[in-house]
């Protein structure tokens, strides 16, 4: 087994009586991008600052290439860790040219090689034409590329990035992000990236570590986390959700959309069936209900209350006959039935998540075949999760 580039083991950080980081363990391999994802205040930046060495944890250790750089007994400063840092508010030196800004990170390299390496990295981030300019002559995106070249030029073993692209507008962000990713992958750098943006994490990460209240609640490949969330809050972090309520009876839960098996739960337990808008199917009412199927269960009737074209698809809101709840469906292309149109809704059952209400832990979809997590860490299953037997 290869030693991870970066290992965080049992990190805890307290500010007074508040716990900012609560027993975080994580490893990042060479060439891997791991995203710390979670809402504001959940401990992402503190974890990153501990990895960088600008913050000292109360307990736990940080290792780089198998060597402890920080624990209870020692604490190497950032410059002794071979880590590169990139933040949203990167500060280029205003009085230095672009080349000199990049060369600044190469103070340990001999004077003659510095400029050559700086120019090489400027080329890699597509900024070779701006080498003699000063930062104020560049756009935000260009400045960010220079900051990236400066962070990369010393060839750090680990790159720590805190919301590095959030200051850029959408179009620029995609460009800069893609360049960053390809250079970092080429270099085989281990990347730990903090973001609160699920789309960014899905787009960039090999693995996502989802944080809440200082803890990692789930870690895995983007596909795995998106399709196998440990609880409703995790599922909701990635998209809008529809919630259908049910009650367990004889190890199953009957709903207007058909029966769901819930053998781990006692009779009378409340269950939430969660389904993303893109996993609803709509059929126009043509006199009789569409046939039930194994894939989509039993169709339930409702009335369109609103429909909108959203660019990449259409959003249709339907008030259900059985309980007056409004469910939201998204469909590719243009489909905008008039309000009042009668429709049948059904659920793509393999994409439904079942959680018992009280603890919001995963029961499992009886119809899904979950792909194995391709990452190394096992999902941190929420306590008390019921499982199918
Ligand atoms: P995130 O990056 O997920 O937004 P942070 O790691 O910045 O979260 O913060 C986690 C928690 O720790 C927050 O409640 C924050 O207020 C607190 N915190 C962070 N830094 C300090 C500090 N220097 N002093 C006191 N509390 C802090």
């Amino acid at each position: 087994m290869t030693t991870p580039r970066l290992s965080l083991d049992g990190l805890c950080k307290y500010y007074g009586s508040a716990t900012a980081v609560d027993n975080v363990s994580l490893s990042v391999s060479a060439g891997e991008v791991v995203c710390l994802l979670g809402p504001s205040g959940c401990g992402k930046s503190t974890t990153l600052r501990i990895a960088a060495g600008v913050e000292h944890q109360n307990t736990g250790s940080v290792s780089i290439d198998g060597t402890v750089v920080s624990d209870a007994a020692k604490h190497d400063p950032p410059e002794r860790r071979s880590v590169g840092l990139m933040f949203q508010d990167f500060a280029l030196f205003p009085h230095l040219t672009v080349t000199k800004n990049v060369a600044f990170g190469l103070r340990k390299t001999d004077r003659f090689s510095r400029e050559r390496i700086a120019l090489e990295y400027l080329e890699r981030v597509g900024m070779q034409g701006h080498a003699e300019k000063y930062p104020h002559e560049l756009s935000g995106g260009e400045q960010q590329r220079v900051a990236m070249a400066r962070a990369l030029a010393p060839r750090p073993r680990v790159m720590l990035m805190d919301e590095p692209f959030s200051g850029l507008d959408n179009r620029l962000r995609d460009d800069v992000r893609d360049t960053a990713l390809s250079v970092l992958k080429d270099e085989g750098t281990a990347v730990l990236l903090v973001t609160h943006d699920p789309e960014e994490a899905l787009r960039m990460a090999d693995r996502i570590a989802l944080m809440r209240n200082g803890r990692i609640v789930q870690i895995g490949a983007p596909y795995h986390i998106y399709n196998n969330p440990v609880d409703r809050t995790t599922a909701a972090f990635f998209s809008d959700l529809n919630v259908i309520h049910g009650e367990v009876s004889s190890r199953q839960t009957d709903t207007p959309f058909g029966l769901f098996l819930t053998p781990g739960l006692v009779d009378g337990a409340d269950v939430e069936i969660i389904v993303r808008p893109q996993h609803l199917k709509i059929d126009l009412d043509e006199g009789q209900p569409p046939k039930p199927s194994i894939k989509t269960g039993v169709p339930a009737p409702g009335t369109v209350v609103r429909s909108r074209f959203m660019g990449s698809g259409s959003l249709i809101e339907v008030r259900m006959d059985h309980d007056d709840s409004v469910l939201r469906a998204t469909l590719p292309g243009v489909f905008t039935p008039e309000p009042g149109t009668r429709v049948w809704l059904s659920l793509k059952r393999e994409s439904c998540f079942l959680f018992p209400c009280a603890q919001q832990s995963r029961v499992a979809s009886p119809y899904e075949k979950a792909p194995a997590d391709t990452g190394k860490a096992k999902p941190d299953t929420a306590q008390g999760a019921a499982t199918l037997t």
Side-chain angles (χ1 to χ4, degrees):
M1 206 183 84
T2 51
T3 310
R5 272 280 154 87
L6 173 69
S7 275
L8 311 178
D9 292 296
L11 295 180
C12 291
K13 178 71 188 172
Y14 312 109
Y15 293 110
S17 60
T19 305
V21 175
D22 187 3
N23 197 23
V24 163
S25 296
L26 178 72
S27 63
V28 190
S29 303
E32 188 184 28
V33 177
V34 174
C35 283
L36 288 176
L37 174 68
S40 180
C42 72
K44 307 179 296 293
S45 296
T46 307
T47 303
L48 198 84
R49 291 203 306 272
I50 292 170
V54 293
E55 197 82 68
H56 195 176
Q57 66 278 16
N58 294 91
T59 59
S61 65
V62 178
S63 306
I64 293 179
D65 282 334
T67 303
V68 173
V69 295
S70 177
D71 61 6
K74 75 182 285 201
H75 185 69
D76 285 352
E79 61 276 14
R80 298 248 309 272
R81 296 190 180 193
S82 185
V83 294
L85 304 173
M86 260 186 88
F87 298 101
Q88 181 189 344
D89 51 352
F90 55 93
L92 296 177
F93 299 112
H95 59 289
L96 295 182
T97 63
V98 161
T99 310
K100 288 199 168 127
N101 259 286
V102 178
F104 185 84
L106 297 163
R107 278 156 298 166
K108 289 183 197 147
T109 311
D110 71 81
R111 182 190 295 254
F112 302 105
S113 306
R114 262 184 241 165
E115 187 166 316
R116 179 181 54 75
I117 298 172
L119 289 171
E120 180 192 324
Y121 277 88
L122 283 172
E123 188 169 348
R124 295 184 73 174
V125 300
M127 287 295 292
Q128 64 276 24
H130 303 266
E132 294 313 312
K133 288 187 181 166
Y134 286 86
H136 72 269
E137 298 176 278
L138 304 176
S139 69
E142 289 167 343
Q143 289 186 31
Q144 185 65 303
R145 283 172 186 269
V146 175
M148 197 156 62
R150 186 174 67 179
L152 285 164
R155 306 195 70 187
R157 290 179 286 180
V158 176
M159 182 67 84
L160 303 171
M161 307 168 99
D162 195 344
E163 306 267 4
F165 311 111
S166 53
L168 304 173
D169 68 49
N170 280 352
R171 196 184 47 78
L172 268 181
R173 192 183 311 149
D174 289 351
D175 266 5
V176 177
R177 205 154 44 183
D178 291 347
T179 308
L181 204 56
S182 84
V183 178
L184 288 162
K185 288 274 176 194
D186 275 3
E187 297 269 314
T189 316
V191 180
L192 187 59
L193 184 143
V194 161
T195 181
H196 68 276
D197 175 1
E199 246 183 74
E200 177 157 284
L202 290 169
R203 186 178 176 129
M204 293 203 66
D206 295 305
R207 282 187 298 147
I208 293 173
L210 198 89
M211 288 189 76
R212 200 182 307 147
N213 302 326
R215 296 179 66 90
I216 293 179
V217 291
Q218 190 171 10
I219 182 163
Y223 182 88
H224 182 80
I225 293 209
Y226 189 86
N227 291 300
N228 298 276
V230 287
D231 56 26
R232 177 175 163 184
T233 313
T234 303
F237 204 76
F238 292 97
S239 79
D240 223 2
L241 299 177
N242 292 298
V243 183
I244 294 143
H245 293 276
E247 193 181 300
V248 179
S249 172
S250 305
R251 296 152 63 91
Q252 55 193 23
T253 301
D254 199 4
T255 77
F257 298 95
L259 273 178
F260 289 81
L261 303 178
T262 44
L265 299 174
V266 293
D267 279 6
D270 289 329
V271 168
E272 288 174 337
I273 294 152
I274 309 286
V275 61
R276 300 191 194 279
Q278 70 268 34
H279 296 138
L280 286 173
K281 179 173 169 281
I282 297 190
D283 289 291
L284 292 172
D285 186 1
E286 283 162 353
Q288 50 186 341
K291 285 204 171 68
S293 82
I294 290 181
K295 278 194 167 172
T296 53
V298 180
T303 303
V304 172
V305 284
R306 199 146 65 129
S307 63
R308 275 171 289 165
F309 176 59
M310 308 286 286
S312 59
S314 304
L315 171 68
I316 302 102
E317 291 171 284
V318 178
R319 188 176 303 284
M320 303 309 299
D321 287 2
H322 62 270
D323 65 354
D324 259 3
S325 65
V326 173
L327 300 184
R328 294 152 73 93
T330 51
L331 275 85
V334 188
F335 180 67
T336 51
E338 288 293 318
T341 306
R342 295 287 295 162
V343 292
W344 294 91
L345 276 193
S346 31
L347 316 179
K348 293 182 183 161
R349 294 173 69 98
E350 83 275 7
S351 301
C352 292
F353 314 124
L354 275 69
F355 300 111
C357 272
Q359 55 206 26
Q360 292 196 350
S361 300
R362 184 96 202 278
V363 176
S365 162
Y367 298 93
E368 96 188 52
K369 273 201 197 109
D373 172 18
T374 53
K376 290 176 199 75
K378 289 273 171 286
D380 182 356
T381 310
Q383 284 198 341
T387 52
L388 287 174
T389 50

